[in-house]
Amino acid sequence: MNKLLFFLPVFIFFSCSEKSSGDGDIDISFENRTCFVDDSVRAIVDSVYNSLTPDERAAQIHGIRPALIVENGKLSLEKCRKLIPYGVGHISQFACMQDLKENELRDFTADLQAYLLNETRSKIPAIFHEEAITGFAAKSATVFPQQLGVACTWNPSLVREKNETVREAMRSCGSTMALSPMVDVIRTQHFNRVEESYGEDAYLSSAFAVDFVKGLQGDDFTKGVAACSKHFLGYGGGSNNTTKVLMEEILMPHEAAIRCANLKTVMTGYHKYNGVNAVTSSYFIKDILRNYLDFDGVMVSDYFAIVSSKKKNTPDYVTERAVQALSAGTDIELCDGIAYPELPKLIQEGKVSEEDFEKAVKRSLALKVRLGLFSPNRKLYDKGNISLDKPEWRKIAYELASQSVVLLKNNGILPLKENHSKIALVGPNANSFWAMTGDYTYQSMHAFFQGGKIDPNSPKIYTLKEGLERNIKSPFVLSYEKGCDWSSNDEWGIDKKADGDSRIANLQKMLVGSSDRVDRKAAFDICNKSDVIIAAMGENATLCGEGRIRKGIRLPGDQEKFVEDLISTGKPVILVVFGGRAQVLSEKIRNGAMAILSAWYPGEEGGNAVADIIMGKKSPSGKLCVSYPSDESREPLCYNYGEPVSERVAYPFGHGLSYSNFKYTLKDCTQKAELGNDIIRIAVEITNDGDYDASEVVQLYVSPDFETDKFRPIQLKGFTRVDLMKKESKVITFKLKPEMMEYYDDGKWVTELGIFIFKIGSSSVDIRCNIPVSIVGEKSLTDNRRVIFSSVTIK
């Protein structure tokens, strides 16, 4: 690939999550990326590399789990001397796999780093990495909403603010890398890890990916936490797509994070593409990541991905996979060193390239240099007492939760008024902290993989019942009965067959219990005496997440019939659905419930946030980041497939109701734009026409106004949240280059001429303004995508 392409002013301007008061033109020059290995870094890396033995070098490109070097809850120096005598590159999931509070976790880090610095000849500190999609996955740390819910905020800048706190929390305990964000573009609600994603749209996912990385890494890498986008490329169904879709959409969030946010670490997945495992795919790692994206950072494997297989892990198989993975460009083996410690021997036998080995080790060392681990004044952890759940962090958790809740339907029942003062609260998720915490939280990871007991007060996780009890005042009265359980035993289980994390094969079903009784009759007794019923239903951590299996995606177990019977009482029913995916609701429920809220897994402040929305202290503002399905078809579903899939959609992508109303008025628009020279400007006035202060998510879509198979029928090209007091108006101005209307074809990016319809709306189907724009000029081909994001100003 011609490297000169990367110095041409043809790439991107990012500001879809920024709100500016200025009105400058779009700068589409490619944002400067820090060179991963500059001269100063190279000097340190070369010096260290040359001082190491082959075994010490190999030690830098694999990890180890705490469980292997801990005894009776304490670090075992004897085990360290036996298992990591040459040092180690990474300490894997050091927080979520242990039952340690803040100071204990920091002390574990200090003790292990002391061993590496004082007892190994290489004296190289380790990178302590952890999960961070819902915050630092450590006991006592703030639990933020799950990513699928976060995407429904359409507020990437709040994610950046959240991750600034996560960075502080992780660094305080000595963690310098997060195996996050997960940016897979997922187009089926059946995928058990859809909750970790930002949904079905590449543009929306890319915007969140960029701010996630910027917040976590900060401006100074030596004080930041290295982010790691996963899974490269197309995990969760994307690997079945054509090359065109792979390059245009599935790759886009990784590309944006690398080119816009200086991302320096990427993780492969467990999946295959064209029959080749991602972790051994030269096409993915060398052709796309290294050559096309010009990525100069570190590629790490997913846990056990190098040796993960249904085949027996024989010695020959392990060494074969070590050769395949390293040769393809996978630099580091996680979570443990099973295959890569064999590399020095394989080099001697001529089975693996010493050059490939050197590149991998030097990249691993360069990451440590960049993180400040070789600095003379390095700070490996904080001293004194540590807090991982500060009050100001809980406020961000609350705001994210409030903005993530999507009001799917409201027949005027919400917010609750005094004529509905007798409230019956029922359902398995009404008084369970598991309704707030999805997978890849400390709570789920520790319980699922370790069988650990979870304390819902460390940190305090508010249930919906607790949120309502804190919220309601006379004349409102709350009664509670669980009424039904989460599921039946035969509809869910553990996926022990698929390639993936080998720890799953040893698991039993993780029972998520509740001390509350299940008394259906008692539940209907309080419902019949009430003015309104709030039914808190949905999933918990056993029913979705990595390694979990469910037969379907309707409300689990007897929940569907339970809700339908509640509706049959004639009392108004407010349905609140918690969980890790959009769960199919029966036609009777969709038609019969007076209001339906999708609350996802809203984190530690979720109970308070949902209660405040129900009681009217907050107007709901979440918008769907997925097309909410009306059936259980396993066929991929996405709004940009166009009209043919509309019958399978109960609630469309971008949909979400408010307690207020918003009026859209087109103020100004570009009618014709020339490629390479012009900027398309579209200005629309948004007026809060209702009686509540509220927020609206203004969405910009584009459709070709001509017959073509080169473009999706509709594509998201911009968005912004706007806060409006009642009767207030603001003008939103979108600016974008006509080069955004390009497509990938036969290895090239092609700009297209013609008329495109720019659509401003409140959802992908609720379009308020249609603006035809003629794009003219000379059609051109380039090797690289030129523009990813539009910009927006609010006045």
Side-chain angles (χ1 to χ4, degrees):
M1 182 175 145
N2 185 352
K3 299 288 180 173
L4 290 177
L5 286 173
F6 289 101
F7 297 94
L8 294 174
V10 292
F11 184 53
I12 47 179
F13 173 80
F14 174 78
S15 76
C16 73
S17 66
E18 308 265 356
K19 296 179 176 65
S20 169
S21 59
D23 194 34
D25 289 342
I26 296 177
D27 173 11
I28 64 166
S29 62
F30 164 20
E31 184 171 328
N32 292 329
R33 280 189 281 173
T34 301
C35 178
F36 189 56
V37 184
D38 60 18
D39 290 343
S40 61
V41 173
R42 184 176 293 106
I44 298 172
V45 168
D46 288 348
S47 175
V48 173
Y49 183 85
N50 292 334
S51 72
L52 301 177
T53 67
D55 287 328
E56 288 169 340
R57 292 167 182 170
Q60 292 303 307
I61 54 174
H62 69 75
I64 192 167
R65 285 171 290 153
L68 300 180
I69 50 176
V70 165
E71 190 168 0
N72 298 323
K74 298 290 184 181
L75 181 69
S76 167
L77 292 179
E78 181 180 350
K79 289 186 175 182
C80 289
R81 291 166 187 147
K82 179 181 179 180
L83 296 176
I84 50 173
Y86 305 113
V88 71
H90 286 248
I91 309 302
S92 304
Q93 286 183 338
F94 79 109
C96 70
M97 292 296 112
Q98 301 192 85
D99 186 17
L100 301 176
K101 289 190 175 182
E102 309 88 319
N103 294 337
E104 296 171 326
L105 186 62
R106 182 270 320 282
D107 292 345
F108 170 80
T109 304
D111 292 343
L112 186 44
Q113 294 286 37
Y115 161 76
L116 293 170
L117 291 170
N118 299 325
E119 292 205 31
T120 65
R121 195 190 74 86
S122 62
K123 302 187 183 304
I124 300 175
I127 290 174
F128 285 65
H129 71 239
E130 194 44 87
E131 310 294 340
I133 58 173
T134 61
F136 182 25
K139 186 175 185 178
S140 305
T142 305
V143 183
F144 295 97
Q146 183 58 283
Q147 282 201 165
L148 195 67
V150 167
C152 293
T153 69
W154 293 59
N155 192 353
S157 60
L158 190 56
V159 169
R160 187 190 300 199
E161 185 178 349
K162 174 211 102 178
N163 270 11
E164 289 169 355
T165 76
V166 176
R167 181 207 319 159
E168 181 181 339
M170 294 184 74
R171 272 283 181 171
S172 70
C173 290
S175 181
T176 51
M177 180 176 168
L179 303 185
S180 308
M182 196 267 232
V183 297
D184 298 310
V185 178
I186 308 298
R187 288 166 174 175
T188 171
Q189 299 304 299
H190 288 273
F191 181 50
N192 58 0
R193 299 181 65 177
V194 63
E195 64 182 273
E196 300 171 49
S197 78
Y198 287 123
E200 69 187 37
D201 182 69
Y203 186 101
L204 186 65
S205 298
S206 298
F208 277 103
V210 167
D211 269 349
F212 187 106
V213 173
K214 286 187 173 183
L216 198 61
Q217 294 188 167
D219 297 327
D220 183 351
F221 225 68
T222 64
K223 298 178 182 178
V225 171
C228 176
S229 69
K230 60 186 185 186
H231 304 85
F232 203 87
L233 182 65
Y235 187 50
S239 60
N240 296 322
N241 283 301
T242 63
T243 301
K244 176 180 172 64
V245 174
L246 198 74
M247 296 299 291
E248 286 183 1
E249 301 178 48
I250 308 302
L251 178 64
M252 188 176 174
H254 296 278
E255 181 175 0
I258 291 167
R259 289 181 161 168
C260 300
N262 207 31
L263 178 79
K264 294 301 182 185
T265 313
V266 175
M267 177 187 283
T268 56
Y270 299 119
H271 60 298
K272 294 181 179 180
Y273 187 76
N274 289 338
V276 179
N277 291 97
V279 74
T280 61
S281 173
S282 294
Y283 172 63
F284 276 174
I285 301 171
K286 290 184 176 178
D287 295 347
I288 296 180
L289 184 67
R290 296 290 183 198
N291 295 334
Y292 174 72
L293 292 183
D294 201 32
F295 179 70
D296 61 355
V298 180
M299 168 61 84
V300 306
S301 79
D302 206 339
Y303 277 23
F304 301 104
I306 291 177
V307 294
S308 173
S309 177
K310 298 172 188 175
K311 301 176 183 178
K312 185 178 180 181
N313 286 338
T314 63
D316 287 346
Y317 175 76
V318 169
T319 57
E320 176 187 342
R321 294 284 287 184
V323 172
Q324 291 173 347
L326 186 73
S327 300
T330 299
D331 298 311
I332 296 176
E333 179 187 16
L334 299 178
C335 54
D336 300 329
I338 299 173
Y340 275 19
E342 303 295 320
L343 290 173
K345 181 183 72 172
L346 295 172
I347 292 172
Q348 286 185 334
E349 295 172 352
K351 294 179 179 178
V352 70
S353 161
E354 187 167 4
E355 181 183 359
D356 289 341
F357 177 72
E358 182 176 343
K359 285 180 181 178
V361 175
K362 286 187 173 181
R363 288 186 187 121
S364 177
L365 292 171
L367 181 60
K368 292 187 174 184
V369 173
R370 283 290 182 197
L371 289 169
L373 300 187
F374 284 96
S375 173
N377 58 348
R378 62 191 169 203
K379 183 180 178 182
L380 297 179
Y381 44 81
D382 283 356
K383 298 179 180 179
N385 288 322
I386 293 171
S387 173
L388 298 181
D389 188 38
K390 297 179 180 180
E392 57 268 31
W393 299 357
R394 294 195 70 101
K395 290 180 181 178
I396 297 173
Y398 171 83
E399 194 57 39
L400 274 170
S402 300
Q403 294 183 21
S404 71
V405 175
V406 180
L407 181 59
L408 299 174
K409 175 186 177 180
N410 187 20
N411 279 356
I413 189 73
L414 292 178
L416 283 183
K417 309 291 193 306
E418 290 185 4
N419 59 327
H420 293 110
S421 60
K422 294 179 182 178
I423 304 169
L425 175 64
V426 296
N429 279 332
N431 193 35
S432 170
F433 75 88
W434 286 112
M436 308 298 152
T437 57
D439 199 15
Y440 278 83
T441 57
Y442 168 83
Q443 289 72 19
S444 177
M445 297 291 284
H446 191 66
F448 188 69
F449 284 112
Q450 300 297 110
K453 185 175 176 60
I454 302 303
D455 180 359
N457 293 307
S458 182
K460 174 60 183 174
I461 301 170
Y462 286 97
T463 69
L464 178 56
K465 177 175 177 285
E466 290 172 321
L468 287 168
E469 287 172 341
R470 298 178 76 206
N471 205 307
I472 63 175
K473 298 177 182 178
S474 180
F476 290 98
V477 178
L478 181 71
S479 301
Y480 164 70
E481 282 287 344
K482 187 174 180 180
C484 78
D485 221 326
W486 280 288
S487 67
S488 57
N489 289 330
D490 64 348
E491 75 166 326
W492 60 278
I494 304 298
D495 183 4
K496 298 181 179 181
K497 296 180 180 179
D499 285 353
D501 193 326
S502 65
R503 292 174 293 177
I504 292 171
N506 300 317
L507 294 175
Q508 300 299 315
K509 292 179 181 178
M510 177 179 64
L511 297 178
V512 172
S514 169
S515 59
D516 296 348
R517 67 177 184 175
V518 178
D519 189 329
R520 179 182 170 91
K521 181 180 182 301
F524 276 87
D525 283 346
I526 67 166
C527 289
N528 286 324
K529 297 174 184 177
S530 72
D531 299 320
V532 63
I533 302 167
I534 300 174
M537 317 305 288
E539 296 178 317
N540 61 35
T542 64
L543 298 173
C544 62
E546 184 176 14
R548 285 76 154 173
I549 301 173
R550 271 195 66 196
K551 289 182 178 178
I553 56 172
R554 306 180 81 85
L555 291 179
D558 297 329
Q559 291 186 40
E560 183 175 286
K561 186 176 187 309
F562 183 77
V563 176
E564 289 179 349
D565 289 347
L566 291 175
I567 291 170
S568 296
T569 65
K571 301 287 185 177
V573 174
I574 298 167
L575 174 63
V576 184
V577 184
F578 296 92
R581 69 189 101 213
Q583 296 158 73
V584 171
L585 306 175
S586 71
E587 188 173 354
K588 182 173 181 180
I589 291 175
R590 295 201 309 268
N591 293 335
M594 289 291 286
I596 303 173
L597 297 101
S598 184
W600 316 105
Y601 286 127
E604 66 182 30
E605 283 289 324
N608 292 326
V610 176
D612 282 354
I613 287 172
I614 289 173
M615 301 307 296
K617 291 186 177 180
K618 279 271 191 178
S619 179
S621 59
K623 299 280 188 175
L624 287 175
C625 65
V626 296
S627 300
Y628 203 107
S630 60
D631 61 40
E632 292 188 280
S633 169
R634 291 183 178 269
E635 290 297 313
L637 181 62
C638 182
Y639 79 97
N640 68 21
Y641 294 173
E643 188 62 29
V645 299
S646 60
E647 290 184 1
R648 294 173 48 206
V649 177
Y651 304 102
F653 177 85
H655 170 75
L657 303 177
S658 170
Y659 292 156
S660 201
N661 304 303
F662 301 97
K663 179 182 176 183
Y664 286 61
T665 304
L666 183 64
K667 302 296 288 184
D668 187 29
C669 62
T670 298
Q671 295 181 335
K672 183 169 72 173
E674 183 177 359
L675 289 171
N677 296 313
D678 292 338
I679 293 171
I680 299 168
R681 289 178 172 82
I682 299 171
V684 61
E685 183 180 69
I686 311 297
T687 301
N688 181 346
D689 221 16
D691 296 325
Y692 293 85
D693 296 344
S695 301
E696 171 70 326
V697 176
V698 184
Q699 302 160 43
L700 170 65
Y701 298 90
V702 178
S703 298
D705 195 31
F706 48 89
E707 291 293 327
T708 178
D709 62 356
K710 302 298 185 183
F711 294 94
R712 294 290 195 187
I714 183 171
Q715 298 178 80
L716 182 69
K717 292 295 184 181
F719 65 89
T720 191
R721 284 180 65 96
V722 55
D723 301 326
L724 294 165
M725 295 183 290
K726 55 187 177 182
K727 308 309 177 184
E728 183 183 13
S729 297
K730 291 181 181 178
V731 174
I732 313 298
T733 302
F734 289 100
K735 304 174 194 173
L736 61 161
K737 293 293 291 183
E739 283 78 8
M740 284 188 77
M741 273 54 73
E742 60 185 350
Y743 59 88
Y744 187 81
D745 187 43
D746 195 25
K748 297 288 184 180
W749 287 92
V750 185
T751 56
E752 191 59 273
L753 309 179
I755 297 176
F756 290 82
I757 307 300
F758 288 74
K759 303 175 177 182
I760 303 286
S762 188
S763 82
S764 58
V765 300
D766 183 8
I767 302 301
R768 309 295 181 88
C769 306
N770 287 282
I771 306 107
V773 178
S774 177
I775 295 179
V776 300
E778 184 175 347
K779 192 172 181 176
S780 65
L781 305 176
T782 60
D783 290 334
N784 294 91
R785 190 196 311 259
R786 283 167 283 198
V787 186
I788 290 183
F789 298 109
S790 59
S791 73
V792 62
T793 57
I794 301 176
K795 292 185 177 179

